[in-house]
Amino acid sequence: MQYLPNILFLVLLVLGIGYFTRNVKKLIRNIKLGHKIDVSDNKSERFKNMALIAFGQSKMVRRPVAGILHFIVYVGFIVINIEVLEIIIDGIFGTHRIFSPIGSVYNILIGTFEILALLVFVSVVIFWIRRNIIKLQRFWKTEMTSWPKNDANFILYFEMVLMTLFLIMNATDVHFQAMNSGNVVSQYIAPWFSELSENTLHIIERTAWWLHIAGILVFLNYLYFSKHLHILLAFPNTYFGKLRPKGELNNLEAVTKEVKMMMDPNVDPFAEPAEDSDEEIPAKFGASDVTDLNRIQLLNAYTCTECGRCTSECPANQTGKKLSPRKIMMDTRDRLEEVGKNIDANSGEFKDDGKQLLGHYITNEEIWACTTCNACTEACPVSIDPLSIILEMRRYLVMEQSAAPMELNNMMTNIENNGAPWPYNQMDRLNWKNE
Amino acid sequence: MSELLKVPTMAEFMEQGKQPEVLFWVGCAGSFDDRAKKITKAFVKLLNKAGVEFAVLGTEESCTGDPAKRAGNEFLFQMQAVTNIEILNAYEVKKIVTACPHCFNTIKNEYPSLGGNYEVMHHTQFLKTLLNEGRLTVEGGKFKGKRITFHDPCYLGRANDVYEAPRDLIQKLEAELVEMKNCKRNGLCCGAGGAQMFKEAEKGDKEVNVERTEQALEVKPEIVAAGCPFCNTMITDGVKSKEKESEVAIMDIAELIANAQDL
Ligand code: SF4
Ligand code: SF4
């Protein structure tokens, strides 16, 4: 019987981590539904980007208020998690504060945790006020429907509760308070409980301890369903982020092959393709659904924190157009999840559901409003590239559906016939010289 | 304008068995758009003045394919690109300068993987080099002390991280450079990129160029400087819609420098 708590703890831990692993596997499976893309180049530059942008939060601080608050929560999150290590060991072996014998270092550590916990609590409260009382515009755009709004608030409540539990746990730990070192914050909370008997205190301390670790496990499993997934994915996402100049849009290789063939007088266009040529003709140009996108674009979708920095900088969105780069990312993720669930429900095989990302989630009107200005990619704190998805959809609309707006078709016909987007004769190209 | 501009073509250089120092890629706007042609000429005057041996492709030049690519027509883009690259490579072109950030971006970034490798410069970068090398001198002249704000073209700024060259040139004019609230990497688009120039905007509550023009007018400039023929058109239209065209001029950096010395 005396091992009951240990066993209970182990079960909780295994369940928590097990379910999380299951979802991570699903996540990877879903991302792999996208096309392969070679990102094995420039490892050192990629590591540097990850270190600066994800680890160092370099782009977060471009908006100083949110940036600094976020930095506190981020550091708090990482550092306080050292404490979780102790909790896990204590839980499994039935010990109490196993690291405490290391003495003064331990107290410095716990002291740091306590200060951070308080700072995190305060930051999270300010975050909540910015979202719900001040109602910063970017958190109230149309794509921020009830779930994204609730999700953001749940995360904040979770963090408030976890920090509170941590501080209460310390405040009601009689031995710890008696040592009176390291309890920098909790010593001020302890008096609130001074009326209570040692036994009651012990019960409160144990309850806080259990709720704290259970809360952490629940939170861990909440990630997969939430924009909070960015705390993990920001790292790979910034590693795989675009390295080339922002203005460079990729050249489609499949098109290059065809164009070279058309331009090469030595190629017989009617020749049968060589029997064993493994040259696969791509099923389609551009993208109309998530499975036409590449893996980085799908990883982008899961990484998006829905912060809306992209949308608030987008010229189309600022002038009232429907386009919102954040919505492009949220739609991509929602559709990818839908496809994933479809696969799960149909024993591993996707069953056509008559839906697509383009059309059912994203409209042509949104796609055509983009000026390809790169304000969104510049603003994103985690190196997401909404523009690349927009471009793939335009490619699909133009090359597969011939569904460009009429004026653009005129422009393209002009280029084809006159070598300029306007109906002028190429032979007149140098006339300006004598005008 | 009647004074003669020296604008040799690549074909002429070839005939004489010579190579120019640089190819001036004029671009479609620079060749055909009435406003942009003035920029082209201003830049040519500066090249002539500095004694730069340059050439143009003339009737052999064709659209880089930028608007087609950004409209989603990768086929048309690559057809244009491959055709242009064939000509550029046949002339053994090494260095290209252009006054259009879209041409600049496309040739510099999107041509290499299709076989076109050149050193590509935006005209503001090129002019700055000419100044640094002492081949061209700029005196403030007319623009001394004038309030000038610079609108960053997306395809020069964010797309390729060129922010300083145009500003350095404005400062050389001894003008007062004032920055808009959104400038450099936060610069707001003029609304023309991504083939928007060629179509009506989607439904919204404002035109992008008007929004940008309002930002420019906020800093009360006498001149809005631009570095792109499309931005130039968009901001000019914006200023007209605000009925400020008599107070605020929109000028390309090349025009500022050429005008400063009454070329
Ligand atoms: S690139 Fe397109 S989506 Fe991104 S900010 Fe510019 S207009 Fe908006
Ligand atoms: S794409 Fe980036 S900037 Fe836009 S909402 Fe997502 S995380 Fe924020």
Side-chain angles (χ1 to χ4, degrees):
Chain A
M1 255 335 251
Q2 62 163 332
Y3 292 116
L4 194 64
N6 310 43
I7 294 168
L8 210 68
F9 183 85
L10 259 180
V11 171
L12 197 68
L13 199 65
V14 169
L15 278 181
I17 293 175
Y19 189 61
F20 176 68
T21 316
R22 209 183 84 129
N23 280 332
V24 169
K25 280 195 187 139
K26 207 178 272 179
L27 180 91
I28 294 171
R29 196 260 334 255
N30 288 354
I31 288 176
K32 284 192 169 165
L33 293 173
H35 290 304
K36 266 196 202 145
I37 169 171
D38 183 15
V39 269
S40 58
D41 56 335
N42 295 305
K43 293 214 164 54
S44 64
E45 200 185 344
R46 291 181 182 283
F47 271 115
K48 204 181 103 203
N49 279 347
M50 181 169 84
L52 274 174
I53 304 172
F55 203 73
Q57 309 254 301
S58 60
K59 285 183 109 183
M60 275 307 290
V61 290
R62 283 194 190 169
R63 295 198 180 190
V65 179
I68 290 165
L69 292 173
H70 185 270
F71 192 76
I72 294 172
V73 177
Y74 158 78
V75 170
F77 178 84
I78 294 185
V79 175
I80 298 172
N81 270 330
I82 302 174
E83 167 74 5
V84 176
L85 189 69
E86 183 183 47
I87 294 184
I88 290 176
I89 298 175
D90 282 347
I92 296 174
F93 298 104
T95 47
H96 184 68
R97 293 188 185 262
I98 180 101
F99 296 153
S100 57
I102 54 177
S104 60
V105 179
Y106 183 78
N107 294 328
I108 292 171
L109 268 179
I110 299 285
T112 315
F113 298 160
E114 287 203 348
I115 293 170
L116 278 171
L118 182 68
L119 287 175
V120 168
F121 188 89
V122 173
S123 305
V124 167
V125 170
I126 300 175
F127 274 147
W128 186 89
I129 293 172
R130 281 162 57 92
R131 270 181 195 268
N132 300 284
I133 311 274
I134 305 177
K135 300 200 178 187
L136 285 191
Q137 237 193 23
R138 65 187 156 110
F139 301 127
W140 289 79
K141 296 262 175 189
T142 44
E143 68 269 22
M144 296 306 280
T145 48
S146 62
W147 165 247
K149 271 200 211 124
N150 289 339
D151 178 26
N153 282 332
F154 287 162
I155 295 163
L156 298 178
Y157 299 143
F158 248 117
E159 279 162 357
M160 289 182 211
V161 169
L162 287 179
M163 294 306 116
T164 311
L165 287 170
F166 174 72
L167 289 173
I168 291 182
M169 176 181 102
N170 285 355
T172 52
D173 187 328
V174 183
H175 292 289
F176 177 68
Q177 291 300 328
M179 288 196 308
N180 200 20
S181 138
N183 55 346
V184 259
V185 177
S186 58
Q187 58 177 299
Y188 300 103
I189 304 174
W192 304 351
F193 301 98
S194 57
E195 308 279 293
L196 304 174
S197 72
E198 196 161 322
N199 203 20
T200 322
L201 278 179
H202 182 69
I203 292 171
I204 296 176
E205 190 267 338
R206 282 293 86 194
T207 314
W209 186 93
W210 277 98
L211 286 176
H212 182 63
I213 185 66
I216 287 173
L217 287 172
V218 171
F219 201 32
L220 181 71
N221 280 289
Y222 179 69
L223 294 187
Y224 177 70
F225 306 95
S226 160
K227 75 178 189 99
H228 215 51
L229 198 48
H230 77 273
I231 63 169
L232 302 175
L233 297 188
F235 293 90
N237 203 70
T238 48
Y239 178 87
F240 291 125
K242 184 169 176 177
L243 300 176
R244 304 289 308 149
K246 289 198 167 58
E248 178 178 334
L249 304 181
N250 69 321
N251 293 331
L252 280 185
E253 261 173 60
V255 171
T256 311
K257 271 185 212 147
E258 292 203 19
V259 168
K260 290 240 154 101
M261 242 166 30
M262 280 162 71
M263 310 278 289
D264 184 352
N266 300 320
V267 171
D268 173 4
F270 302 108
E272 294 277 320
E275 275 291 307
D276 54 349
S277 84
D278 53 4
E279 259 179 48
E280 34 178 323
I281 294 164
K284 65 185 186 200
F285 293 113
S288 64
D289 209 349
V290 285
T291 44
D292 306 324
L293 295 171
N294 70 43
R295 292 176 182 180
I296 306 288
Q297 290 167 322
L298 299 184
L299 173 66
N300 277 185
Y302 274 124
T303 308
C304 177
T305 72
E306 298 170 17
C307 69
R309 291 180 181 217
C310 53
T311 295
S312 73
E313 300 285 335
C314 172
N317 194 276
Q318 282 181 28
T319 53
K321 277 68 169 190
K322 284 219 177 97
L323 172 63
S324 159
R326 166 172 58 189
K327 176 176 176 291
I328 301 285
M329 302 320 299
M330 292 167 71
D331 285 343
T332 305
R333 178 173 177 173
D334 288 348
R335 173 60 182 160
L336 183 55
E337 270 300 296
E338 185 177 54
V339 170
K341 286 196 185 114
N342 179 313
I343 292 175
D344 290 334
N346 296 297
S347 43
E349 212 45 72
F350 178 72
K351 226 173 106 198
D352 190 12
D353 57 357
K355 285 200 204 167
Q356 291 201 102
L357 178 58
L358 182 63
H360 291 89
Y361 288 82
I362 300 173
T363 59
N364 295 8
E365 184 181 338
E366 291 162 67
I367 293 303
W368 290 118
C370 174
T371 70
T372 70
C373 72
N374 268 305
C376 51
T377 59
E378 180 71 50
C380 181
V382 287
S383 308
I384 288 171
D385 184 355
L387 171 55
S388 73
I389 298 181
I390 294 172
L391 181 72
E392 286 305 331
M393 296 196 161
R394 284 188 176 184
R395 286 173 170 168
Y396 173 80
L397 285 173
V398 171
M399 292 193 282
E400 294 286 340
Q401 308 266 292
S402 307
M406 206 235 323
E407 300 141 297
L408 288 188
N409 279 331
N410 291 342
M411 176 270 288
M412 293 188 281
T413 313
N414 286 329
I415 294 181
E416 248 178 285
N417 297 336
N418 314 317
W422 300 287
Y424 295 110
N425 194 320
Q426 187 165 1
M427 286 303 124
D428 295 336
R429 247 187 133 92
L430 201 48
N431 291 3
W432 56 268
K433 171 174 129 174
N434 304 315
E435 277 170 12
Chain B
M1 239 180 264
S2 53
E3 89 261 41
L4 269 190
L5 294 174
K6 270 198 300 184
V7 192
T9 61
M10 274 313 277
E12 287 159 17
F13 265 93
M14 183 89 145
E15 259 169 40
Q16 300 167 20
K18 286 199 304 184
Q19 266 292 338
E21 181 183 336
V22 65
L23 173 88
F24 172 29
W25 184 275
V26 184
C28 299
S31 304
F32 292 123
D33 180 84
D34 285 334
R35 177 68 188 85
K37 281 192 264 189
K38 293 191 184 142
I39 303 170
T40 307
K41 286 188 198 164
F43 183 56
V44 167
K45 281 180 201 161
L46 292 170
L47 292 175
N48 284 167
K49 171 106 192 284
V52 176
E53 288 235 305
F54 74 98
V56 297
L57 282 178
T59 54
E60 290 182 285
E61 189 186 281
S62 185
C63 176
T64 59
D66 158 88
K69 185 180 184 87
R70 278 149 186 86
N73 196 336
E74 183 72 8
F75 268 107
L76 183 53
F77 161 69
Q78 291 202 16
M79 292 288 288
Q80 289 297 117
V82 171
T83 316
N84 285 326
I85 290 169
E86 244 172 39
I87 291 170
L88 290 168
N89 287 354
Y91 283 125
E92 294 176 20
V93 170
K94 302 267 167 337
K95 189 169 175 180
I96 299 177
V97 62
T98 174
C100 173
H102 294 265
C103 300
F104 167 72
N105 176 69
T106 305
I107 303 176
K108 172 175 158 291
N109 296 324
E110 290 161 2
Y111 278 19
S113 76
L114 300 170
N117 292 288
Y118 322 100
E119 184 196 339
V120 191
M121 291 176 100
H122 185 245
H123 69 317
T124 56
Q125 295 174 306
F126 193 78
L127 288 173
K128 203 185 149 192
T129 326
L130 291 181
L131 288 173
N132 290 349
E133 290 170 352
R135 296 170 69 181
L136 196 65
T137 46
V138 182
E139 288 117 48
K142 264 191 203 161
F143 300 109
K144 201 167 173 176
K146 287 235 157 103
R147 273 175 85 82
I148 302 182
T149 188
F150 179 66
H151 163 77
D152 288 279
C154 301
Y155 275 88
L156 186 65
R158 266 192 302 275
N160 288 294
D161 290 321
V162 180
Y163 300 110
E164 292 314 322
R167 289 182 167 78
D168 288 349
L169 292 173
I170 293 174
Q171 251 138 12
K172 286 258 163 55
L173 294 170
E174 294 169 65
E176 184 193 349
L177 175 64
V178 282
E179 295 290 358
M180 295 181 231
K181 73 170 185 213
N182 285 322
C183 64
K184 300 187 183 168
R185 70 179 177 218
N186 298 323
L188 180 69
C189 179
C190 71
Q196 296 296 342
M197 182 73 190
F198 306 99
K199 63 185 261 298
E200 288 297 315
E202 274 57 37
K203 212 162 92 305
D205 45 38
K206 204 180 206 174
E207 294 293 337
V208 176
N209 66 327
V210 173
E211 175 76 23
R212 184 52 166 170
T213 303
E214 285 171 3
Q215 290 188 355
L217 293 179
E218 246 169 52
V219 297
K220 308 221 174 321
E222 288 159 271
I223 297 167
V224 181
C228 168
F230 296 102
C231 299
N232 197 309
T233 304
M234 295 307 262
I235 309 283
T236 304
D237 289 349
V239 169
K240 275 190 199 142
S241 79
K242 295 270 153 193
E243 297 176 358
K244 291 270 187 215
E245 64 266 39
S246 55
E247 293 150 56
V248 183
I250 294 87
M251 292 177 81
D252 191 88
I253 303 269
E255 293 177 305
L256 286 173
I257 299 192
N259 282 18
Q261 28 201 337
D262 281 320
L263 283 183

